[in-house]
Amino acid sequence: MSNSQMTSGIVSGRVPQATLDENFSDLHPGLAAHEAAVAADRCYFCYDAPCQTACPTTIDIPLFIRQIATGTPEAAARTIFNQNILGGMCARVCPTETLCEEVCVREVAEGKPVEIGRLQRYATDRLMETGAHPFARAATTGKRVAVVGAGPAGLSCAHRLAMLGHDVVLFEREAKAGGLNEFGIAAYKSTGGFSGREVDWLLEIGGITVETGKSLGGDLSLDALGSEYDAVFLAIGMGGVNALRAAGEDKDNVVDAVSFIKELRQSDDLSALPIGREVVVIGGGMTAVDAAVQSKLLGAQNVTMVYRRGKGRMAASEFEIELATAKGVRIIYNAQPVAVHGNGAVAEIEFEYTVEDGNTLSGTGEMFRLPADQVFKAIGQRLMDAPESVAVAGGKITVSETGRTSVAGVWAGGDCASGGDDLTVTAVAEGRDAAMDIHAALTA
Amino acid sequence: MADLTTTFLGITSPNPFWLASAPPTDKEVNVRRAFEAGWGGVVWKTLGEEGPPVVNVNGPRYGAIYGGDRRLLGLNNIELITDRPLEQNLEEITRVKKDYPDRAIIVSLMVPCEEAAWKAILPKVEATGADGIELNFGCPHGMAERGMGAAVGQVPEYIEMVTRWCKENYSKPVIVKLTPNITDIRLPAEAAMRGGADAVSLINTINSVISVDLDTMAPEPTIDGKGSHGGYCGPAVKPIALNMVAEIARSPVTAGLPISGIGGVTTWRDAAEFMALGCGNVQVCTAAMTYGFKVVEEMISGLSQWMDEKGHTSIDDFVGMAVPNVRDWQHLNLNYIAKAVIDEDACIQCGRCYAVCEDTSHQAIAMSEDRVFTVKDEECVACNLCVSVCPVEDCISMVAMTPGEVDPRTGDVVEKEYANWTTHPNNPGNTCASG
Ligand SMILES: Cc1cc2nc3c(=O)[nH]c(=O)nc-3n(C[C@H](O)[C@H](O)[C@H](O)COP(=O)(O)OP(=O)(O)OC[C@H]3O[C@@H](n4cnc5c(N)ncnc54)[C@H](O)[C@@H]3O)c2cc1C
Ligand SMILES: Cc1cc2nc3c(=O)[nH]c(=O)nc-3n(C[C@H](O)[C@H](O)[C@H](O)COP(=O)(O)O)c2cc1C
Ligand code: SF4
Ligand code: SF4
Ligand code: SF4
């Protein structure tokens, strides 16, 4: 292998295997037992704890941390899973710096929060490594529920319904369950095939039949599901990607960041995955950061993230921006793409600087170009395949607090539905809450 | 820098920090290292009578309890007195004393409760040139079963008798080390005084079972599946030791009897507290066994800094200063009324004060929607629980009410005059005739 970071074009094997292994190892490695004891000891066991309120799934954080501190991490894990069956994944991917840890009283007081995320990982890993599933199914109710989409929202809803005794069929378009846990989350957040293991472990509750390769709008219709099942839960995420609206967008090697990440996540040999020497990522959210960072980790020499507005408006958190810059990603603010240049494939991409005036953004007329072997578009996902009968507003299926759509007997949650941030943990909460409402409706 | 030179029973040492009789003082090599590290004196590990020495267990001797991050809070041991021959110890003591004339060396002794046994050993100890002896009446395990240690320390008549034998057969100071495994510490102290003791030292270790192994169902430390009670020491025992010291210091019978303070001294501050309660010096065991001899450097620098800050130029300036302020409960001023006050700027809004006052005290803290915590003066009894649990130092303080103000809890005017329980109308044994 003779390729290096300096090799022109899009090639694989830019960095040695050992470096790749290191680059894609756990971003936040698990805590050892003593580290966990020390970290747990810092928790004050707050009354009506702010961290718990900030958690979208309302995990009883002071209780689970105390259970770790007293040497019973398995009990701690049960506290977590009671509220959030994907507590293992959430421990790895939650932007804790903008959720529980942001409001931890010790963050506020000292700028050093209790390490809630890593403690959650410690507890959930301990229970999951025993191989045992912590919950038992209630006696079967004979009710049948169809869940469409096996991402965090669908999995969470299916698990809760199954636990309550309902029979669930989980339909998934892809060949694997997991949703963005499997295809989207950065590789260094979910290492060692965790997503797949977690799905298998979750399904041990029983009562859930997974039907992969089935898609709504394709083999399935909402009408048919509605008549065959007692209730339907839609958790189809956001499968579409927004367009750049820049001239030359259709040139080769201008791709969606999510597709690039999906390919990366499904690759079992990263040294065979090609990456450009010059990579440009367009966007300012979590997806843009993940695409840029992972490009850099694969060995791209220059990775530039270009965001059309100022830093303050960026959806990525402070922590993620720091992560990107620490890995060597250059971030350009206030520039929007106007044209993709190149003969067949992209060679350069042209931007115009912008100024913001409140919400309106306008070009200054000043242009610049960046060399680009590859351009990744990360300018937002959008709802796709939503059944026509359900009401949609602002690009999301309109739902009530408990996930009811405009159609009786049909609930929705996760990224495809209105309300809440587009986060794994929010999807889990919405799936769970919809399940409780479906249960109430079916047993009323 | 304040002068830490201490003269206790006429024995001068460069500072008041002595190592207590225990493993740190068991051998010449340890004691030399201790003196090089800066310790003012040592009480040599307890010697027994001539003949085959005692034997220790060959499994674990120690067990511990921990705070966060495995900070050792309490240590327990099932060790006995020295397990080395008497002659060897005496030779070593002689050599070390000769090389360190400025340091204190006290020889701890425990022999059977017969005059002949004491008469046999005391001249040998005298010959070492050591500065005094300490009678170990405290060891709670192993030795008591043989009629020594705590077995003697729990019977005041024996203490008096043995002390008298020692005073009659030994020319230098005699310190009586007291066991805390007794209900009223004043009785053995009085007995020691009657026997002519020059000082008492306390406390020795407290009877304890430190933990139970829930897999083997045996107490720890476990020897071949079984365990025995041991002696408890370290930071956790300090409050018990301080109380016992104070009881002796303020008793009219024993007032003025020199005290060497022992039990959980871990920092300069602990030492200063013992001395404020009347101890002429302190002895340390567990802190050295936890951190090594170097800890004495912090004790020395901390005590001298504090003395400088307070303007004390010598140890004697503050020894016993707190004794007059230790009183029986019934003499505390019931007209003193305080209220908890929360400093909102310092508060980190953990809500612990609220939870404990609401659940377990007087429902005197209000919590607003946006987590502002305030004390309800009309409910607060100034119990200090909130202060005790608040993670932020000085965030909650107890503020005394001024005489003339009305206590919103009782509706009564705060009185200026001191009044205690003995004269309180609710006291059936009220000493003021009423009506
Ligand atoms: C690149 C990237 C990185 C991210 N990183 C993080 C992170 O670090 N932390 C975090 O909290 N969040 C992160 N997110 C957001 C998070 O992944 C989502 O909010 C979350 O996965 C939403 O869950 P969901 O179940 O609603 O949707 P999805 O996870 O998208 O799952 C939807 C499922 O439905 C299936 N589906 C779609 N259409 C159909 C159909 N018509 N028929 C049948 N099945 C269908 C899909 O195949 C998929 O399996 C990231 C998102 C992306 C894109
Ligand atoms: C392992 C061990 C052995 C001890 N042996 C003796 C002893 O032989 N003679 C004695 O008088 N006290 C003995 N003690 C008691 C200590 O001298 C001291 O009184 C007690 O530990 C309290 O002080 P500390 O809290 O600083 O440790 C021993 C203590 C320990 C931990
Ligand atoms: S806010 Fe912080 S200290 Fe308080 S309970 Fe939550 S993790 Fe513990
Ligand atoms: S002092 Fe006691 S009663 Fe008063 S607020 Fe604090 S805990 Fe409550
Ligand atoms: S315990 Fe202290 S820090 Fe916590 S809320 Fe009360 S006053 Fe504030």
Side-chain angles (χ1 to χ4, degrees):
Chain A
M1 180 186 74
S2 55
N3 289 334
S4 76
Q5 290 192 285
M6 256 89 97
T7 309
S8 297
I10 305 176
V11 299
S12 60
R14 288 182 181 273
V15 290
Q17 187 65 47
T19 311
L20 274 181
D21 291 345
E22 193 185 315
N23 285 354
F24 286 92
S25 65
D26 242 319
L27 179 62
H28 301 293
L31 295 170
H34 181 70
E35 288 177 298
V38 173
D41 192 55
R42 292 189 68 236
C43 173
Y44 288 146
F45 201 71
C46 294
Y47 178 79
D48 190 11
C51 54
Q52 179 173 359
T53 311
C55 171
T57 52
T58 334
I59 293 173
D60 192 337
I61 294 167
L63 178 61
F64 96 68
I65 293 181
R66 189 174 166 83
Q67 289 167 318
I68 292 175
T70 56
T72 53
E74 295 82 4
R78 252 169 247 121
T79 301
I80 294 162
F81 292 135
N82 268 329
Q83 289 296 104
N84 179 336
I85 194 65
L86 296 185
M89 183 58 81
C90 288
R92 290 162 169 79
V93 308
C94 271
T96 51
E97 67 279 4
T98 61
L99 298 169
C100 53
E101 290 178 19
E102 180 180 41
V103 298
C104 169
V105 299
R106 301 204 71 168
E107 166 63 24
V108 179
E110 307 158 45
K112 250 186 95 185
V114 173
E115 290 184 281
I116 302 169
R118 293 182 83 195
L119 285 165
Q120 178 170 326
R121 161 115 184 240
Y122 176 76
T124 52
D125 279 358
R126 293 297 79 76
L127 189 130
M128 288 174 78
E129 74 194 5
T130 67
H133 189 86
F135 300 105
R137 262 194 103 187
T140 166
T141 59
K143 302 283 184 190
R144 299 177 70 235
V145 182
V147 173
V148 186
L155 286 167
S156 157
C157 182
H159 182 273
R160 182 58 61 117
L161 287 169
M163 199 168 94
L164 295 169
H166 308 295
D167 291 315
V168 180
V169 181
L170 182 52
F171 295 103
E172 167 58 48
R173 183 178 56 194
E174 300 285 339
K176 278 187 199 172
L180 289 171
N181 286 357
E182 177 62 42
F183 299 108
I185 295 294
Y188 45 77
K189 290 184 185 168
S190 166
T191 57
F194 181 76
S195 171
R197 277 190 285 131
E198 187 181 43
V199 170
D200 293 344
W201 169 87
L202 176 147
L203 292 174
E204 279 167 33
I205 185 74
I208 303 173
T209 313
V210 182
E211 301 235 9
T212 52
K214 295 277 169 61
S215 68
L216 184 68
D219 343 48
L220 312 167
S221 77
L222 185 57
D223 284 350
L225 292 176
S227 52
E228 196 182 333
Y229 292 88
D230 297 299
V232 179
F233 179 65
L234 300 176
I236 55 176
M238 290 191 292
V241 194
N242 292 331
L244 269 190
R245 275 172 276 146
E249 186 178 350
D250 53 353
K251 289 196 193 300
D252 288 350
N253 305 330
V254 179
V255 296
D256 296 329
V258 279
S259 320
F260 161 66
I261 293 170
K262 182 171 175 182
E263 194 186 343
L264 187 152
R265 283 295 308 275
Q266 297 306 302
S267 156
D268 45 23
D269 178 10
L270 291 178
S271 70
L273 191 70
I275 190 76
R277 178 182 183 181
E278 305 285 343
V279 174
V280 176
V281 180
I282 301 169
M286 194 137 40
T287 307
V289 169
D290 286 359
V293 169
Q294 291 177 109
S295 299
K296 194 71 200 162
L297 298 178
L298 282 173
Q301 187 186 7
N302 295 307
V303 178
T304 312
M305 222 176 110
V306 185
Y307 177 53
R308 62 192 177 128
R309 295 179 186 272
K311 187 174 177 181
R313 296 286 296 265
M314 222 157 133
S317 71
E318 194 72 35
F319 170 82
E320 287 165 312
I321 295 170
E322 266 171 36
L323 176 73
T325 49
K327 297 290 181 197
V329 173
R330 173 185 177 212
I331 304 178
I332 297 177
Y333 299 101
N334 285 104
Q336 61 190 12
V338 288
V340 179
H341 302 284
N343 186 8
V346 55
E348 276 187 332
I349 172 162
E350 185 172 0
F351 293 90
E352 179 183 18
Y353 282 113
T354 64
V355 281
E356 282 168 274
D357 182 13
N359 258 342
T360 56
L361 190 73
S362 46
T364 63
E366 188 188 347
M367 307 289 174
F368 68 95
R369 292 181 179 206
L370 293 175
D373 301 314
Q374 262 175 324
V375 173
F376 296 134
K377 299 180 285 182
I379 49 175
Q381 287 87 258
R382 70 193 158 69
L383 184 61
M384 221 173 70
D385 298 337
E388 266 175 28
S389 51
V390 298
V392 171
K396 301 264 189 181
I397 298 172
T398 309
V399 292
S400 71
E401 282 270 285
T402 55
R404 290 179 188 230
T405 68
S406 58
V407 178
V410 180
W411 281 256
D415 284 1
C416 69
S418 62
D421 293 327
D422 290 343
L423 293 175
T424 309
V425 65
T426 312
V428 173
E430 290 171 4
R432 175 200 69 195
D433 294 346
M436 295 310 294
D437 196 42
I438 293 170
H439 174 67
L442 297 187
T443 53
Chain B
M1 207 171 103
D3 181 9
L4 298 189
T5 305
T6 308
T7 305
F8 184 69
L9 314 181
I11 307 163
T12 301
S13 54
N15 61 56
F17 306 112
W18 291 6
L19 282 166
S21 173
T25 62
D26 194 18
K27 293 192 291 298
E28 178 173 359
V29 51
N30 303 100
V31 175
R32 283 185 186 273
R33 287 171 63 82
F35 285 160
E36 290 306 317
W39 291 89
V42 301
V43 182
W44 202 276
K45 173 75 179 172
T46 306
L47 309 183
E49 63 181 341
E50 189 138 31
V54 301
V55 292
N56 273 301
V57 293
N58 298 298
R61 304 172 189 185
Y62 307 139
I65 57 163
Y66 300 102
D69 208 357
R70 265 178 91 83
R71 176 181 291 269
L72 186 143
L73 299 180
L75 185 73
N76 145 294
N77 83 88
I78 54 168
E79 197 173 287
L80 307 182
I81 63 172
T82 186
D83 53 12
R84 304 183 321 137
L86 177 64
E87 279 311 318
Q88 190 184 350
N89 275 306
L90 293 173
E91 278 166 28
E92 290 182 4
I93 292 167
T94 312
R95 268 201 303 273
V96 180
K97 181 63 211 179
K98 213 159 114 237
D99 288 350
Y100 293 92
D102 66 324
R103 309 299 170 97
I105 297 189
I106 305 295
V107 179
S108 170
L109 295 174
M110 182 192 289
V111 297
C113 213
E114 301 147 9
E115 191 170 10
W118 292 92
K119 274 188 156 158
I121 200 167
L122 288 169
K124 299 183 185 194
V125 174
E126 185 103 46
T128 62
D131 300 293
I133 58 171
E134 184 180 81
L135 311 186
N136 180 355
F137 291 152
C139 203
H141 48 267
M143 304 311 293
E145 290 83 334
R146 304 172 197 206
M148 293 181 261
V152 177
Q154 286 162 344
V155 184
E157 292 73 25
Y158 291 173
I159 295 176
E160 182 179 342
M161 179 176 75
V162 175
T163 308
R164 186 164 293 124
W165 292 338
C166 291
K167 282 307 288 179
E168 284 165 7
N169 294 288
Y170 181 71
S171 69
K172 290 186 181 169
V174 174
I175 304 168
V176 173
K177 184 164 180 175
L178 303 181
T179 176
N181 299 312
I182 188 162
T183 337
D184 186 345
I185 197 69
R186 291 172 299 188
L187 302 181
E190 287 165 16
M193 209 175 164
R194 281 196 304 274
D198 297 280
V200 288
S201 58
L202 67 158
I203 59 173
N204 208 311
T205 56
I206 304 173
N207 283 340
S208 64
V209 170
I210 198 111
S211 53
V212 176
D213 183 322
L214 291 177
D215 296 322
T216 62
M217 282 295 167
E220 294 175 307
T222 313
I223 310 281
D224 191 23
K226 304 281 186 278
S228 180
H229 80 85
Y232 195 39
C233 51
V237 310
K238 184 184 118 183
I240 297 163
L242 283 179
N243 173 54
M244 291 186 165
V245 162
E247 289 293 286
I248 294 171
R250 73 195 185 93
S251 154
V253 184
T254 46
L257 177 67
I259 306 173
S260 180
I262 321 172
V265 174
T266 311
T267 67
W268 69 267
R269 186 181 292 274
D270 299 326
E273 291 177 27
F274 272 93
M275 295 169 82
L277 285 177
C279 298
N281 71 3
V282 292
Q283 298 182 30
V284 176
C285 169
T286 305
M289 289 184 72
T290 309
Y291 303 106
F293 289 148
K294 191 182 153 85
V295 275
V296 74
E297 291 181 35
E298 163 270 311
M299 296 180 186
I300 291 169
S301 64
L303 188 65
S304 50
Q305 177 182 326
W306 171 77
M307 284 172 63
D308 287 346
E309 282 164 9
K310 293 288 176 190
H312 300 308
T313 51
S314 90
I315 297 287
D316 298 329
D317 280 8
F318 67 92
V319 166
M321 266 180 96
V323 176
N325 293 328
V326 184
R327 291 296 167 86
D328 289 339
W329 187 89
Q330 70 266 24
H331 294 131
L332 299 178
N333 184 3
L334 292 174
N335 282 344
Y336 173 86
I337 295 171
K339 298 288 172 190
V341 177
I342 298 175
D343 175 352
E344 262 178 47
D345 294 329
C347 171
I348 64 169
Q349 305 180 337
C350 69
R352 278 165 75 160
C353 56
Y354 173 81
V356 297
C357 188
E358 191 70 11
D359 287 355
T360 73
S361 196
H362 290 79
Q363 298 75 44
I365 294 180
M367 173 181 172
S368 75
E369 214 92 335
D370 53 346
R371 299 185 78 83
V372 175
F373 296 87
T374 33
V375 175
K376 301 183 233 168
D377 286 349
E378 62 281 14
E379 303 294 343
C380 176
V381 301
C383 72
N384 214 40
L385 180 63
C386 52
V387 175
S388 310
V389 305
C390 176
V392 182
E393 207 177 338
D394 295 332
C395 174
I396 310 180
S397 35
M398 282 296 155
V399 179
M401 294 189 71
T402 321
E405 284 183 286
V406 174
D407 177 355
R409 186 175 71 89
T410 56
D412 295 338
V413 174
V414 178
E415 304 283 349
K416 191 148 93 216
E417 290 72 31
Y418 163 95
N420 65 40
W421 174 245
T422 59
T423 56
H424 195 278
N426 288 14
N427 181 355
N430 187 340
T431 50
C432 290
S434 59

